[in-house]
Amino acid sequence: MDRYHAIQTFREVARQGGFAAAGRALNISTPSVSRLVSELEGDLGVRLFNRSTRQVGLTEEGEQFLRHGVALFDELESVTDEIRQRQKQPRGHLRISSALAFGQECIAPAVPGFIKRNPKVTVELEISNRTVDLVQEHVDLSIRIGGLDGLETSSLRARKIFSQSLIFVASPEYIANHGAPDNLDQIADHLFAKQISGGWGKIHQLVSDGKKVPCDIPESFVVNSPSAARNVVMTGQAMGLLADYLVADAISVGRLKRVMPQYKTVEQPIYAVFVHKNYMPAKTRAFIDYLIETFANRQFPQKNRLEGS
């Protein structure tokens, strides 16, 4: 039995959820897939899949082998890839998951430049606020904002690629019609499009003159999407406390102005999270390096433009 080929086939069946789909992905026949899996099961002395006419599911032993055995196989592939790629371009399929707004506004627009630089890499980007299981879902990289609780006790590692702060903004039309608050005591007199996602966003920790100040924005209009909150603010009918990267372009062309510039939130780091391996695949390392380079060169408007002066 070709154990390497058999484990590769098992992994693809688990990933695709079926023998025929795995065969198409590997460009081999369905009977060949079945034979290789059966040989692996015979070698291990356990059944890896529960098979029926309608579906294929992992057994308990299959789940264990996928989590631990295939992880070693992936490590071997990573070592092989690292050695091969030292003098070559990164290659292969890169699966990325990203937080919603940052993925839409920053990650997705960055991908074409990365592919142009690394034409042998294909990219699949999932934009969602759910926390993916990188190991179980075979995701190479996850872009996460804020804390990384529990990361140090897991198999995951992270590199900071960017940071964001939330700033108060309003459109020139809103300011002309309603004025702008000068301090936090006046925000109750204004309509805000307040972003709350789960437990995040109910109360913000602001920084002013080096001191942290809690801020509870009225909840007369709550939305769970930062992009939607920005769109509301752009109509001129409400104010917002929005990520600087999300409003930088609108500020630079005068469609939005910064309000109460003496306040902003504590900076939130944005991380690229990946499964720890002694040998990181070249495609993953190249993409992380590319993001760090891209965002280091990202130009926000100067302070006076941000303040709308």
Side-chain angles (χ1 to χ4, degrees):
M1 177 187 69
D2 183 343
R3 182 176 279 107
Y4 183 92
H5 195 192
I7 295 175
Q8 181 187 41
T9 303
F10 162 76
R11 180 182 63 177
E12 199 62 38
V13 173
R15 179 181 294 173
Q16 300 290 340
F19 285 59
R24 288 192 294 272
L26 296 170
N27 198 28
I28 60 177
S29 67
T30 302
S32 294
V33 172
S34 181
R35 175 180 56 80
L36 285 164
V37 171
S38 295
E39 288 178 356
L40 181 60
E41 289 176 325
D43 183 61
L44 295 172
V46 297
R47 199 166 186 79
L48 298 173
F49 292 104
N50 290 315
R51 302 163 173 84
S52 72
T53 56
R54 295 187 174 217
Q55 60 183 7
V56 173
L58 287 164
T59 62
E60 182 178 348
E61 292 80 9
E63 290 276 6
Q64 183 179 10
F65 190 69
L66 181 65
R67 179 173 288 277
H68 300 291
V70 174
L72 295 174
F73 177 80
D74 289 342
E75 184 78 3
L76 176 60
E77 281 198 328
S78 297
V79 173
T80 304
D81 180 68
E82 177 74 14
I83 293 172
R84 285 175 177 168
Q85 300 307 323
R86 282 177 182 172
Q87 303 302 322
K88 297 180 181 179
Q89 288 182 309
R91 67 182 66 212
H93 189 61
L94 184 67
R95 296 192 69 207
I96 307 164
S97 171
S98 176
L100 195 61
F102 193 74
Q104 291 173 333
E105 300 291 330
C106 297
I107 300 298
V111 169
F114 171 76
I115 294 175
K116 185 176 181 180
R117 184 181 295 184
N118 302 277
K120 294 184 179 179
V121 179
T122 57
V123 176
E124 178 182 347
L125 173 62
E126 176 190 330
I127 296 177
S128 169
N129 281 336
R130 74 184 184 91
T131 300
V132 302
D133 185 324
L134 276 71
V135 176
Q136 290 282 28
E137 299 182 50
H138 307 286
V139 174
D140 298 292
L141 201 64
S142 177
I143 308 300
R144 299 182 184 175
I145 299 175
L148 296 171
D149 295 339
L151 194 71
E152 64 279 0
T153 60
S154 72
S155 62
L156 304 180
R157 296 295 181 270
R159 283 182 67 187
K160 181 181 174 183
I161 60 171
F162 198 54
S163 62
Q164 69 168 13
S165 293
L166 307 188
I167 59 176
F168 288 102
V169 292
S171 70
E173 294 80 9
Y174 181 90
I175 296 171
N177 293 328
H178 305 282
D182 295 319
N183 55 62
L184 297 181
D185 292 334
Q186 298 176 8
I187 65 175
D189 299 328
H190 293 267
L191 176 61
F192 277 80
K194 182 174 182 178
Q195 184 208 345
I196 297 179
S197 298
W200 182 90
K202 291 184 178 294
I203 298 178
H204 289 286
Q205 195 83 277
L206 301 180
V207 177
S208 178
D209 294 328
K211 298 178 181 178
K212 294 182 179 179
V213 182
C215 174
D216 186 4
I217 296 173
E219 297 183 7
S220 50
F221 179 19
V222 173
V223 62
N224 68 349
S225 162
S227 297
R230 178 191 57 185
N231 292 343
V232 172
V233 174
M234 297 279 280
T235 68
Q237 300 179 73
M239 293 180 55
L241 179 63
L242 302 174
D244 47 13
Y245 74 82
L246 198 63
V247 296
D249 290 341
I251 289 173
S252 68
V253 298
R255 294 191 64 190
L256 291 178
K257 291 181 177 292
R258 187 171 180 182
V259 178
M260 295 189 294
Q262 70 271 33
Y263 298 107
K264 68 175 183 177
T265 61
V266 176
E267 283 197 351
Q268 291 181 304
I270 300 175
Y271 296 99
V273 180
F274 50 91
V275 178
H276 173 65
K277 297 178 181 179
N278 292 329
Y279 295 89
M280 182 187 292
K283 61 185 180 181
T284 307
R285 177 179 288 111
F287 191 70
I288 295 174
D289 290 342
Y290 177 78
L291 291 182
I292 293 172
E293 174 191 335
T294 298
F295 298 141
N297 296 329
R298 186 180 174 92
Q299 297 296 315
F300 287 127
Q302 297 299 314
K303 184 177 180 182
N304 63 336
R305 294 294 301 280
L306 272 172
E307 295 174 1
S309 58

